[in-house]
Amino acid sequence: MAVKSAAYKLCSTKEFRSATTVKIHPSLNAESLRHLALKFGKKVLTPPLPGQDFLYYLLDPLDIEPKSHKFAASKKGFNKLGVPCRLSEIPPVDLVVVASVACSLQGARVGKGKGYGEVEYGILREMGLVDENTPIATVVHDVQVVENRCLPLESLSCHDVPVDIICTPTNVIRTSTNITKPGKIFWELISDVMMDDIGALKELKSLKPIRVA
């Protein structure tokens, strides 16, 4: 299966092998990667359904029986077995894996459209749980990797999250991107719907009222 082959490619990288905690997006096509991460002993952070008051579920392979790792990697599974984490309970993140509809060789990407992955990343930056050196990866099919001209840098917004590593079923691409990673939440871009869907935004605002007022 192509998606599993691409997931294995990411697991072969030094960034994955050295990571203790990996944040992985909740999409169905990342289920194989979440399973492999647990299988290889990584703690996995993945977001809940919209409307919750916490940012991530934590899946710790030491707390989940190996026979249940595959189930835990599914949406039903991580909603049942994952431990909700308040912002102060989230461990430092060693590798961020984001969803992409398309990405370019220079690291630009198009996400799924809602911008929730960008908001998550902004929260992690605000909390000091990732920095500009934390690698960001995406797992896609080969056809989703497009020429740079298809995703011109001038089309990117200030909150867009670039990728350092693109893994496909056939290749590991290191973009050496020069695109600046957003270092904060851009509150002027946060809608009321986002505030309700990502409850951790309210928690962040209560923790840092001066910075985000």
Side-chain angles (χ1 to χ4, degrees), residues 46-57 84-90 116 119-124 126-127 129 185 187 190-209 212:
T46 195
L49 293 170
Q52 302 297 326
D53 62 356
F54 57 94
L55 188 61
Y56 292 127
Y57 284 115
C85 290
R86 310 293 295 186
L87 293 181
S88 62
E89 299 168 335
I90 299 172
Y116 287 10
V119 173
E120 287 178 42
Y121 182 81
I123 293 174
L124 292 175
E126 292 267 4
M127 294 298 297
L129 297 169
I185 289 288
W187 289 96
I190 301 298
S191 66
D192 291 342
V193 173
M194 280 184 170
M195 287 295 290
D196 289 336
D197 282 353
I198 307 174
L201 284 167
K202 296 174 183 175
E203 183 183 0
L204 178 66
K205 204 164 190 178
S206 69
L207 291 172
K208 300 191 173 186
V212 302

Side-chain angles (χ1 to χ4, degrees), residues 69-129:
H69 285 176
K70 185 174 178 62
F71 173 66
S74 69
K75 281 196 174 186
K76 184 177 180 180
F78 65 67
N79 277 282
K80 182 175 182 178
L81 300 178
V83 177
C85 290
R86 310 293 295 186
L87 293 181
S88 62
E89 299 168 335
I90 299 172
V93 178
D94 305 302
L95 175 64
V96 175
V97 184
V98 293
S100 298
V101 172
C103 49
S104 75
L105 297 176
Q106 61 187 349
R109 58 177 276 278
V110 175
K112 296 170 68 178
K114 290 188 175 181
Y116 287 10
E118 281 72 17
V119 173
E120 287 178 42
Y121 182 81
I123 293 174
L124 292 175
R125 287 294 298 263
E126 292 267 4
M127 294 298 297
L129 297 169

Side-chain angles (χ1 to χ4, degrees), residues 1 15 104 189 202 210 213:
M1 208 173 157
E15 290 84 358
S104 75
L189 301 178
K202 296 174 183 175
I210 296 176

Side-chain angles (χ1 to χ4, degrees), residues 30-200:
E31 186 172 322
S32 294
L33 179 59
R34 292 191 295 269
H35 181 208
L36 288 172
L38 292 171
K39 178 181 176 180
F40 291 131
K42 310 300 180 183
K43 295 179 181 179
V44 174
L45 294 168
T46 195
L49 293 170
Q52 302 297 326
D53 62 356
F54 57 94
L55 188 61
Y56 292 127
Y57 284 115
L58 173 65
L59 298 168
D60 188 333
L62 296 179
D63 296 332
I64 302 170
E65 293 186 20
K67 66 180 181 181
S68 297
H69 285 176
K70 185 174 178 62
F71 173 66
S74 69
K75 281 196 174 186
K76 184 177 180 180
F78 65 67
N79 277 282
K80 182 175 182 178
L81 300 178
V83 177
C85 290
R86 310 293 295 186
L87 293 181
S88 62
E89 299 168 335
I90 299 172
V93 178
D94 305 302
L95 175 64
V96 175
V97 184
V98 293
S100 298
V101 172
C103 49
S104 75
L105 297 176
Q106 61 187 349
R109 58 177 276 278
V110 175
K112 296 170 68 178
K114 290 188 175 181
Y116 287 10
E118 281 72 17
V119 173
E120 287 178 42
Y121 182 81
I123 293 174
L124 292 175
R125 287 294 298 263
E126 292 267 4
M127 294 298 297
L129 297 169
V130 298
D131 60 26
E132 64 275 7
N133 297 313
T134 304
I136 301 174
T138 194
V139 174
V140 296
H141 195 279
D142 292 278
V143 299
Q144 292 173 273
V145 183
V146 301
E147 295 180 11
N148 291 338
R149 63 181 177 81
C150 296
L151 285 177
L153 299 186
E154 56 268 24
S155 69
L156 301 180
S157 299
C158 57
H159 68 286
D160 284 331
V161 176
V163 291
D164 302 294
I165 304 167
I166 302 169
C167 291
T168 77
T170 64
N171 203 6
V172 175
I173 301 166
R174 297 184 179 278
T175 66
S176 300
T177 185
N178 292 318
I179 303 170
T180 302
K181 296 173 181 175
K184 63 177 183 177
I185 289 288
F186 293 89
W187 289 96
E188 67 274 15
L189 301 178
I190 301 298
S191 66
D192 291 342
V193 173
M194 280 184 170
M195 287 295 290
D196 289 336
D197 282 353
I198 307 174

